[in-house]
């Protein structure tokens, strides 16, 4: 804004001070690691709270954060964390193991008094696998697992693992989401649902006070307004830029468009209960013109899914899987004819926001071209999300969907997508009803705990190939990015993290 | 003189209008009135005193709030359905406004035929014949049937209205100021037409007017209304010889006359008609009556017979013993 | 009573553009108004009474209205006078009392203010002075409790009271001429009597000349000094009250008089009526406009419009009829016009 | 004047009844929206590893916690009871207190709509009166044509156009929000102008106006065209009234006639229309606020609908309807003040 | 008398050629007629498939084979514009029809019946009016799945109360007229009185208002499609095209301008036609 510029003009020498405004998808003004509301609200949690471990997304390895170091027992069942000393929370209290227990127990124990109604507890899964969580002393925390879990360190860096001041938890109880107190670079100042959250730089941040004074996460829902406010300078940066504007923005000198890593999967879920023939599902997979999707729906901010569901920014990415997502219209037609499915009506459901409707239109065309009749339904995201869970929904045959990596690990992608039990296997694709699907649970568990990265990658590739060949319940469309754009004056922003909806702007300046 | 048979008998007829803010106007207050077969009763009174409402209530286009209406001795106050439709045809009305009383979208023949088709359920060809005859009778000529009301002048329209009222061959007609919207020269035409029709068809009529001159030319008896009540009933000649109620007296003396002589004493009323929602206590006329005494302010007089065929609602009626000679 | 001439109207014409052409509402009228007299203008609806009187002060000026001829007032021609000049005359020298008092008063302005506005339009007085004068005026026109009435809104007053208010407005600046356009038509006879008496009282007290427009011949008989009868935009007969009402010369005047239902005299079985309808359209016959309805018309009547002619030497009783005296007497008999 | 007060009281007494009926409508309408928030909450943010059974169980639990498992009549009774206590419940997502949310958002919406109304009335009155006085001339035709066009403008695209032109190309005006993010604003009444005075912070006013002008004008434009038409018609109507002729008879100048007689009387129909049009403004603000990320009730409502956050939708819809109802009460009272004829009780 | 001899009201107005006088009015009638024509016959004339995606995305105006260029999915813009007229007009006309049916029906009954019936009906209408129509429509439409049906229901319902108010006032005015009393005296029953006496006499002002409503309905239809609550892609629809084209505001403004201008022209023309009808039918001529 204009007034903002005026305020800033006082300090033109040092690149410090000022306000950084990020456009976010929405805010309920509730920022609680145990309660998912919007991506934007969780970005606030990123800024306010840090966890035992940290993944910067510039590298995908978990590094030490509030835990200074850790040891893992040989049987992979006991993790002992040594906590960093001298860290203070925004409320002035010192960070100890008591805070860790208080924060993590909210994830593991659904009877915790400080949980608000309807909380989602993202680390619940770890809790299910936990034999004990103890703090032998103020500087040590010990996890005892039931079964080994190689992903523990990574998952602790996730939002659910963020540490909140125990004093604050006791003070605010279930209302903690409105008064979040952590050790992060920014402290909570104010928030208004549906509008914005204002944070202030935390002087005592353990890595030093951030250059900016104030961080505002501003809800902007209208896509064209996002573009306009980037251009007008009302917004400093965002990862919610509409794809169609990228070209325009690239040509504008007032903004920087980053080559954000292709980190999320865009795919079609096929409900095997509706489309029982594998041949038809494969035909559908072969029919899709992914190049058209990349240019016309993603405007270049996507790549072919050469690693099947593992996006290129993850270490299990294996380009040799490219053939699983190849396009062969003739073959597709042949398969359809062979299956006697020519003229069959398939129904396609897509959300009405972002790239989804456009992809739906392109895919409708592709499927029509191979002899299917397509009916589409485009619904608003909330309704769409609900209908995905309803196997009886009329449009449950084909569903366009996307999945971000919550933490950058193959287990989070193929691990959850190919699991027979769970949202994808049970609700959406009905994969669990197919012969042999049960084995995938064990295969995936075994794969994720393979310590050697190369061996693990090979195993994942095997699983993916087999899964796709035998079942084809999921057809990959593309791997795409959440394109980050910022004003040219914004420097040193961790845009790779932002591309994964993670907000690490403690080094950024305006 | 033949023995008068009552055709319409009103008993304690009452019409209330609920206004806004709890304001209730009692437009007609417990009126007792008998209209005899074959007579024309002239109803006069100031604007807003309830003449139209009484007329409308008599033929039930305004539903009375209380009291009874008897037609040929039968109570028709709450009659409904087919029975009522029968009676409906017998009771008709001519309206004041020659513009508002005819549907501008319909042809004259359609307008006149409507009551025949609906109330009398006359077959169409027959109705057509009756309509043609009627149009001739009211002096419009049958060709008028194909035209629409806006092509006619006020007087001609009033003739259409009369034809419509007469179509179902009614026995009783309420004529609500049928000539007051017309110019004098036209007025006379219409009054003559009505007089002829009354004579030819033996109609009984309630003729409402505020023009005493007009009433005098057409009515057999006169009823004077004031603030929702009948205050005097007299034969025409008796009334014009000298009203018995002080209000009638003032009314008659206020009419400007076309005479060269210095007029009789003019009795000028002070003030206006009181608010019908809050009528004065006692005799409703006492606020404007030059003869009023204390009794008039507290005690409401009843309508009493002071002479044969002559009723007055006054404690001290002006007896019409002597004329100005 | 025969004061100096205040208004001299010469060859006044008023035409209105209507879809069918130019409507001759007033088709050439000569008339004069003398100080202190009441001149009654009678005629049927649409005969041009209002059009005539409104054009005197240009109140019906506007696109589509064409006013011609002369209206001389104190040596000025009001027909050609500019709007600004006319504003000085309106309300000050010549005032109008309109018929429908409910419509003619501003519904959202207090009575007192509406009267005071008239005063302040032409005099340099303070708001307070004007207000006090307004109350006085309301008292003068016979409104009981003028202070209270001044604070009322038009709808809170009765028709008779409102008509008095209109008169008070008309008289506010003591005009030389008051045009009263059917001031009592909407009123009951009892109220009409009050208002008429007020008008005559004011006329005699202030010496105001009044143009009284009405179609009620009874009213004319009661208050007028002189009478002009209009038919189809023209004056067809003019004279003193007694001349016109009791010695009518034009068959139209005769018919008009005979068809009035009266409360005195014998109650006749049939009213002698004028047949046919008044002329309202754009087209006018070549000859006498009344000829189509006139039972005594002959060829000469249809040839050309008869000029206004004086009947008796010396008097100002004029008419537009070609019939000779004998024919007129026959006509009077046939129409049962009451003998004087 | 007791009659007048009686009317006022009666009019105000009707408001709670209207609100009761409105609440019912809102309750019913909101519950017919497809999709339930529980599933969204249950699955939201989960890493996809939770099992279907988990989600189903969680959905049921959330439903219970939110009271969505109760029979509708019971939900309704609870809802009504709460409304009576001015407790509009709390948001499904994070339990924000709806009354508090509305406390933040309503003043913003009121500022926006009132500003739009003022702009529209100003433009509409001026042009309407001009057109009426110059009836039949080219000025009249032009005004009417422009008015009709502005009245028909696709309001949904107008804001975007404004943003592009004034925000991006010319950079005259900010394109989002209500105040600059860099500015410290600690709401007291949450009406910026009022707070600027109460807190003695005049520096708030200019940026506030800058943020207000574009959304308000966007909203106002279509309405201005409409007002032009109404004003023109009603001025013409009054010009033909008899009392205007009386005023001319008095020898008043055209200016005085316009001021003292025409304007007040022609404002009667205009005021009614304004009341009704305020509804369109509120409706339009739903879209405008989204486009300008303006922190008002409309924005809240759209979010609520998108998230199936019933209490927010209920609260926001109720607030909008309440605002509208109140405006119409004000209009009625204004009417009463303007038209003495109505005071006769 | 100088007027035609057998007609009155609307027919009279038409016969007297009072409609469509002046270039603005005449032009508007022609424009509306053209739009209707395009909606009905246009799709038969334009052969290109408006939903056929091609690789030739965002071709400029006048590109070979694509007079108006192509959109972001390579679809022929001319075909989309022509086909896009249909849903808008369909929704506008149907929802206006529904609003007229509901509004005139309810208003007429309320105005004629008076008393309690009127009170109940009009309070219902007041309630509906207490919601800004946009809000009401959004609630109705989002309760159903978006499409022509829900649009028509939503817009029709939301616009009905406004018409009902006018219909009530007109019907009450007519019901107080003596000719209605006369019809009752003549034994005509209420339904027939409504149809035969009341309706024809309120038709003039009502019709003008209905045409105005048509323009409002068209505005809403486009607006809702713009919000994604209306006609669903890939069916071409102007409102949605504006929304979809907005992404390319800087690169291919025509994708926004064409459908927005078409909508605007239609709505404006409807307004002028409504004006013209009102002028022609208004006895007072106040315009
Ligand atoms: N429909 C109505 N609603 C409310 N009040 C009414 C209605 N009709 C008549 N009134 C009131 O009832 C009273 C009598 O009215 P009515 O029309 O019967 O008088 P009237 O004697 O016919 O007067 P006029 O000579 O003016 O026709 C008046 O005060 C009038 O205001
Ligand atoms: N402004 C106008 N535009 C068109 N025609 C008009 C206008 N004013 C009056 N007329 C017509 O001029 C003729 C004379 O009208 P005027 O009002 O003078 O009649 P009047 O004698 O006053 O009748 P009434 O007794 O009904 O008041 C009528 O036919 C009338 O329709
Ligand atoms: Mg009456
Ligand atoms: Mg006149």
């Amino acid at each position: 804004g204009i007034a903002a510029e005026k305020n800033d003009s006082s300090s033109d020498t040092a690149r410090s001070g000022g306000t950084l405004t990020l456009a976010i998808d929405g805010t309920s003004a509730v920022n609680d690691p145990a309660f998912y509301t919007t991506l934007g609200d969780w970005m606030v949690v990123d800024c306010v709270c840090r966890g035992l471990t940290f993944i910067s997304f510039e590298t995908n390895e978990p590094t030490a954060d509030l835990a200074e170091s850790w040891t893992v027992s040989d049987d992979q069942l006991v993790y002992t964390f040594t906590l960093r000393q001298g860290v203070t929370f925004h409320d002035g209290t010192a960070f100890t193991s008591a805070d860790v227990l208080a924060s993590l127990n909210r994830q593991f124990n659904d009877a915790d008094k400080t949980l608000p109604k309807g909380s989602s507890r993202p680390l619940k899964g770890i809790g299910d696998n936990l034999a004990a969580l103890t703090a032998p002393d103020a500087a040590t925390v010990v996890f005892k697992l039931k079964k080994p879990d190689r992903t523990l360190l990574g998952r602790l860096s996730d939002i659910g693992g963020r540490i909140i001041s125990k004093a604050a938890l006791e003070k605010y109880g279930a209302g903690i989401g409105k008064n979040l107190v952590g050790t992060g670079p920014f402290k909570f100042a104010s928030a208004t649902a549906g509008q914005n959250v204002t944070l202030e730089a935390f002087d005592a941040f353990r890595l030093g006070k951030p250059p900016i004074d104030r961080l505002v996460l501003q809800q902007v829902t209208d896509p064209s307004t996002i573009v306009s406010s980037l251009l007008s300078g009302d917004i400093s940066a965002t990862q919610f830029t509409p794809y169609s504007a990228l070209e325009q923005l690239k040509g504008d000198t007032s903004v920087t468009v980053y080559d954000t890593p292709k980190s999320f999967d865009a795919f079609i879920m096929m409900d095997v209960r509706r489309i029982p023939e594998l041949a038809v599902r494969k035909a559908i997979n072969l029919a899709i013109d992914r190049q058209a999707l990349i240019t016309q729906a993603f405007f270049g901010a996507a790549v072919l899914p050469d690693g099947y569901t593992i996006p290129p920014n993850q270490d299990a990415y294996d380009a040799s899987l490219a053939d699983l997502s190849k396009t062969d219209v003739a073959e597709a037609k042949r398969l359809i004819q062979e299956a006697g499915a020519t003229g069959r009506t398939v129904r396609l459901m897509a959300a009405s926001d972002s790239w989804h409707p456009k992809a739906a239109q392109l895919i409708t065309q592709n499927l029509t071209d191979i002899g299917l009749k397509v009916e589409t339904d485009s619904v608003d995201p909330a309704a769409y999300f609900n209908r995905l869970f309803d196997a009886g929904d009329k449009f449950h045959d084909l569903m366009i969907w996307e999945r971000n990596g919550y933490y950058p690990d193959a287990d989070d992608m193929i691990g959850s997508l190919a699991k027979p039990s769970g949202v994808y296997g049970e609700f959406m694709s009905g994969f669990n009803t197919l012969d042999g699907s049960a084995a995938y649970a064990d295969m995936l568990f075994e794969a994720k705990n393979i310590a050697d990265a190369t061996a693990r990658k090979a195993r994942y590739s095997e699983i993916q190939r087999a899964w796709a060949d035998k079942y084809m319940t999921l057809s990959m469309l593309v791997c795409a990015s959440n394109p980050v754009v910022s004003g040219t004056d914004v420097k040193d922003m961790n845009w790779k993290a932002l591309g994964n909806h993670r907000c690490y702007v403690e080094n950024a300046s305006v | 003189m033949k023995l008068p048979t009552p055709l319409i008998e009103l008993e304690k007829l009452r019409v209330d209008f609920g206004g806004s803010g709890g304001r209730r106007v009692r437009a007609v207050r417990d009126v007792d009135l008998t209209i005899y077969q074959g007579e024309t009763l002239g109803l006069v009174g100031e604007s807003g005193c309830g003449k139209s409402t009484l007329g409308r209530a008599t033929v039930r286009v305004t539903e009375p709030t209380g009291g009874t209406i008897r037609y040929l001795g039968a109570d028709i106050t709450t009659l409904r359905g087919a029975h009522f439709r029968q009676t409906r045809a017998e009771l008709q009305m001519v309206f004041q406004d020659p513009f508002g009383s005819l549907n501008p979208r319909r042809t004259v023949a359609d307008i006149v035929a409507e009551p025949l088709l609906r109330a009398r359920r006359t077959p169409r060809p027959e109705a057509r014949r009756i309509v043609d005859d009627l149009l001739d009778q009211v002096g419009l000529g049958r060709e008028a049937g194909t035209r629409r009301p806006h092509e006619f002048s006020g007087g001609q329209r009033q003739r259409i209205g009369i034809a419509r009222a007469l179509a179902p061959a009614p026995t009783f007609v309420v004529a609500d100021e049928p000539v007051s919207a017309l110019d004098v020269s036209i007025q006379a035409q219409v009054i003559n037409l009505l007089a002829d029709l009354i004579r030819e068809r033996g109609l009984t009529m309630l003729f409402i007017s505020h023009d005493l001159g007009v009433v005098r030319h057409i009515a057999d008896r006169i009823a004077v209304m004031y603030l929702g009540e009948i205050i005097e009933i007299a034969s025409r000649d008796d009334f014009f010889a000298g009203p018995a109620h002080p209000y009638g007296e003032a009314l008659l003396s206020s009419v400007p006359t076309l005479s060269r002589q210095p007029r009789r004493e003019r009795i000028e009323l002070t003030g206006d008609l009181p608010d019908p929602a809050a009528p004065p206590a006692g005799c409703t006329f006492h606020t404007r009556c030059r003869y009023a005494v204390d009794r008039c302010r507290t005690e409401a007089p009843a309508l009493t017979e002071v002479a044969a065929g002559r009723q007055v609602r006054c404690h001290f009626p002006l007896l019409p013993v002597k004329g100005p000679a | 009573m025969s004061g100096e001439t205040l208004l001299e109207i010469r060859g006044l014409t008023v035409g209105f553009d209507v879809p069918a052409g130019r409507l001759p509402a007033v088709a050439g009228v000569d008339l004069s108004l003398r100080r202190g007299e009441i001149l009654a203008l009678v005629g049927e609806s649409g005969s041009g009474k209002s059009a005539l009187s409104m054009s005197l002060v240009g109140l019906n000026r506007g696109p589509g209205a064409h006013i011609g001829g002369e209206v001389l007032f104190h040596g000025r021609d009001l027909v050609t006078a500019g709007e600004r000049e006319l504003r000085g005359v309106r309300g000050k020298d010549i005032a109008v009392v309109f018929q429908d008092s409910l419509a003619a008063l501003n519904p959202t302005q207090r009575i007192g203010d509406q009267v005071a506005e008239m005063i302040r339009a032409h005099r340099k007085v303070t708001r307070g002075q004007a207000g006090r004068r307004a109350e006085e005026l309301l008292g003068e026109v016979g409104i009981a409790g003028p202070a209270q009435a001044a604070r009322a809104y038009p709808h809170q007053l009765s028709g008779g009271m409102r008509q008095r208010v209109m008169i008070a407005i008309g008289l506010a600046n003591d005009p030389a001429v008051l045009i009263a356009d059917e001031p009592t038509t909407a009123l009951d006879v009892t109220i009409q009597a009050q208002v008429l008496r007020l008008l005559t009282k004011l006329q005699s007290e202030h010496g105001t000349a009044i143009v009284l427009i009405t179609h009620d011949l009874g009213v004319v008989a009661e208050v007028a000094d002189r009478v002009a009868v209009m038919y189809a935009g023209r004056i067809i007969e003019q004279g003193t009250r007694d001349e016109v009402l009791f010695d009518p010369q034009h068959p139209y005047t005769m018919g008009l008089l005979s068809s009035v239902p009266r409360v005195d005299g014998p109650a006749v079985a049939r009213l002698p009526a004028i047949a046919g309808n008044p002329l309202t359209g754009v087209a006018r016959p070549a000859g006498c406009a009344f000829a189509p309805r006139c039972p005594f018309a002959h060829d000469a009547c249809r040839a050309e419009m008869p000029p206004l002619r004086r009947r008796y030497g010396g008097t100002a009783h004029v008419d537009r009829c070609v019939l000779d005296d004998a024919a007129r007497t026959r006509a009077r008999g046939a129409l049962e016009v009451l003998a004087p | 004047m007791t009659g007048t007060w009686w009317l006022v009281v009666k009019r105000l007494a009707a408001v709670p009844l209207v609100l009761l009926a409105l609440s019912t409508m809102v309750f019913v309408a909101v519950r017919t929206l497809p999709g339930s928030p529980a599933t969204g909450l249950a699955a939201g943010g989960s890493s996809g590893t939770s099992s279907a059974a988990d989600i189903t169980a969680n959905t049921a639990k959330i439903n219970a916690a939110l009271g969505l498992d109760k029979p509708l009549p019971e939900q309704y009774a609870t809802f009504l009871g709460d409304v009576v206590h001015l407790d509009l419940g709390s948001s499904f997502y994070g339990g924000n207190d709806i009354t508090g949310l509305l406390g933040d958002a309503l003043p913003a919406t009121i500022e926006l709509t009132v500003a739009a109304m003022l702009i529209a009335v100003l433009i509409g009155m001026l042009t309407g009166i001009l057109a009426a006085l110059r009836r039949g001339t080219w000025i009249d035709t032009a005004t009417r044509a422009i008015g009709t066009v502005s009245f028909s403008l696709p309001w949904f695209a107008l804001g975007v156009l404004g943003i592009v032109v004034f925000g991006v190309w010319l950079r005259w005006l900010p394109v989002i929000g209500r105040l600059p993010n860099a500015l410290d604003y600690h709401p007291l009444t949450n009406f910026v102008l009022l707070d600027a005075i109460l807190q003695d912070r005049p520096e708030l006013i200019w940026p506030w106006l800058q943020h207000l002008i574009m959304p308000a004008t966007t909203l106002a434009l279509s309405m201005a065209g409409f007002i032009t038409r109404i004003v023109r018609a009603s001025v013409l109507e009054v010009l033909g009234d008899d009392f205007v002729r009386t005023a001319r008879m008095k020898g008043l100048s055209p200016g005085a006639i316009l001021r003292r007689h025409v304007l007040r009387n022609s404002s009667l129909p205009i005021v009614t229309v304004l009341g009704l049009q305020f509804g369109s403004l509120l409706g339009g603000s739903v879209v405008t606020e989204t486009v300008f990320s303006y922190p008002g009730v409309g924005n809240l409502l759209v979010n609520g609908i998108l998230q199936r956050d019933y209490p927010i939708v209920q609260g926001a819809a109720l607030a909008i309807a309440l605002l509208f109802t109140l405006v119409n009460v004000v209009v009625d009272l204004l009417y009463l003040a303007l038209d003495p004829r109505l005071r006769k009780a | 008398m100088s007027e035609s001899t057998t007609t009155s009201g609307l027919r009279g107005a038409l016969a007297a050629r009072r409609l469509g006088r002046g270039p603005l009015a005449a032009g508007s009638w022609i424009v509306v007629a053209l739009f209707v024509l395009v909606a009905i016959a246009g799709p038969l004339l334009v052969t290109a498939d408006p939903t056929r995606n091609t690789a030739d995305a965002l071709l400029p105006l006048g590109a070979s084979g694509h007079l108006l260029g192509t959109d972001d999915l390579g679809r022929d813009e001319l075909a989309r514009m022509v086909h896009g007229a249909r849903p808008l007009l369909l929704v506008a006309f149907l929802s206006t029809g529904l609003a007229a049916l509901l509004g005139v029906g309810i208003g007429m009954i309320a105005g004629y019946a008076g008393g309690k019936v009127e009170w109940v009906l009009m309070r219902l209408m007041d309630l509906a009016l207490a919601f800004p129509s946009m809000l009401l429509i959004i609630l109705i439409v989002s309760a159903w799945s978006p499409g022509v049906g829900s649009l028509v229901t939503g817009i029709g319902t939301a616009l009905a109360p406004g018409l009902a108010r006018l219909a009530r006032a007109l019907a009450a005015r007519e019901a107080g007229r003596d000719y209605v009393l006369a019809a009752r005296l003549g034994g005509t029953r209420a339904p027939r009185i409504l149809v035969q006496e009341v309706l024809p006499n309120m038709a003039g002002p009502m019709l003008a208002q209905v045409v105005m409503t048509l323009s409002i309905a068209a505005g809403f239809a486009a607006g809702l499609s713009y919000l994604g609550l209306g006609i669903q892609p890939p069916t071409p629809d102007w409102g949605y095209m504006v929304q979809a084209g907005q992404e390319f505001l800087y690169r291919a403004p025509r994708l926004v301008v064409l459908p927005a201008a078409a909508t605007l022209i239609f709505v404006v023309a409807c307004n002028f036609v409504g004006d013209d009808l009102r002028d022609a039918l208004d006895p007072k001529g106040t315009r």
Side-chain angles (χ1 to χ4, degrees), chain B residues 45-48 51 153-156 182-193 195-196 199 210-217 236-237 240 247 250-261 263-264 266-273 288, chain C residues 43-46 158-161 164 186 188-194 196-197 215-219 221-222 241-243 245-247 252 255-257 259-278 293 338 340:
Chain B
E46 268 170 292
S47 179
K51 304 182 296 294
S153 71
Q156 289 171 318
L182 306 176
D183 272 317
V184 236
S185 68
I186 311 298
Q187 223 175 48
Q189 299 171 1
V190 174
I191 292 174
N192 289 340
L193 172 67
D196 293 346
R199 196 164 14 86
H210 56 243
D211 186 333
L212 285 174
V214 170
V215 173
R216 178 162 175 258
H217 278 86
R236 173 187 58 187
D237 293 338
F240 282 97
Y247 173 65
L251 200 59
L252 188 54
S253 83
S254 304
V255 179
T257 53
L258 257 177
S259 68
R260 199 186 275 231
Q261 290 91 3
R263 57 167 26 267
R264 312 164 282 187
R266 152 86 50 93
I267 301 152
E268 195 169 292
L269 286 180
T270 52
D272 307 299
L273 194 67
R288 298 168 78 191
Chain C
E44 282 174 289
S45 195
S158 69
M161 297 249 274
R164 288 164 197 267
D188 283 311
V189 277
T190 55
I191 315 296
Q192 166 170 295
Q194 299 168 3
L196 286 179
R197 215 179 58 169
H215 52 240
D216 186 335
L217 293 171
V219 169
E222 215 131 286
R241 176 189 85 128
D242 287 358
E243 283 166 350
L245 292 190
F246 304 114
D247 186 17
Y252 175 66
L256 213 52
L257 282 162
S259 56
V260 178
R262 307 171 57 157
V263 292
D264 52 354
V268 291
R270 287 184 67 79
L271 289 163
I274 305 177
N277 291 299
R293 297 175 75 191
L338 290 183

Side-chain angles (χ1 to χ4, degrees), chain C residues 49-51 99 181-182 213:
Chain C
K49 306 182 296 292
S50 301
Q99 167 180 0
D181 190 353
E182 315 216 16
I213 297 172

Side-chain angles (χ1 to χ4, degrees), chain B residues 48 50-53 96 176-177 208:
Chain B
K51 304 182 296 294
S52 298
T53 309
Q96 168 177 12
D176 189 357
E177 314 215 19
I208 299 172

Side-chain angles (χ1 to χ4, degrees), chain C residues 34-82:
Chain C
R34 290 188 278 265
R35 184 176 294 284
E37 74 169 346
I38 297 186
L39 170 69
L41 209 52
V42 295
E44 282 174 289
S45 195
S47 57
K49 306 182 296 292
S50 301
L52 166 63
S53 56
M54 292 308 121
S55 63
L56 298 185
V57 276
L59 282 180
N60 50 11
R61 285 183 177 183
H66 307 272
I67 305 173
E70 283 183 335
V71 174
L72 296 175
F73 176 74
H74 288 317
R76 277 183 289 180
D77 181 6
L78 299 185
V79 170
T80 52

Side-chain angles (χ1 to χ4, degrees), chain D residues 185-266:
Chain D
Y185 172 54
H186 305 288
L188 194 68
T189 62
N190 214 346
F191 288 97
V192 176
L193 193 61
L194 210 60
D195 285 352
I197 295 165
L198 293 177
Q199 301 175 333
D200 190 25
R201 294 190 58 197
E203 76 274 12
L204 286 176
I205 296 175
W206 180 233
W208 168 71
L209 278 179
Q210 279 185 316
H211 279 81
L212 192 58
I213 185 86
M214 202 151 58
T217 312
T218 308
L219 257 184
L221 270 186
S222 72
M223 192 173 161
F226 192 75
I227 295 179
T228 306
R229 301 164 58 110
I230 302 293
V231 168
R232 178 182 177 277
S234 88
V235 166
L236 276 180
E237 172 121 25
V238 171
L239 279 177
D241 276 347
D242 278 1
F243 61 82
V244 173
R245 187 180 57 178
T246 305
R248 288 179 61 212
M249 181 277 283
K250 288 175 175 174
L252 298 180
S253 66
I257 294 175
L258 190 68
R259 260 181 289 118
R260 285 188 232 155
H261 297 278
V262 178
L263 285 189
R264 178 163 182 162
N265 285 288
S266 55

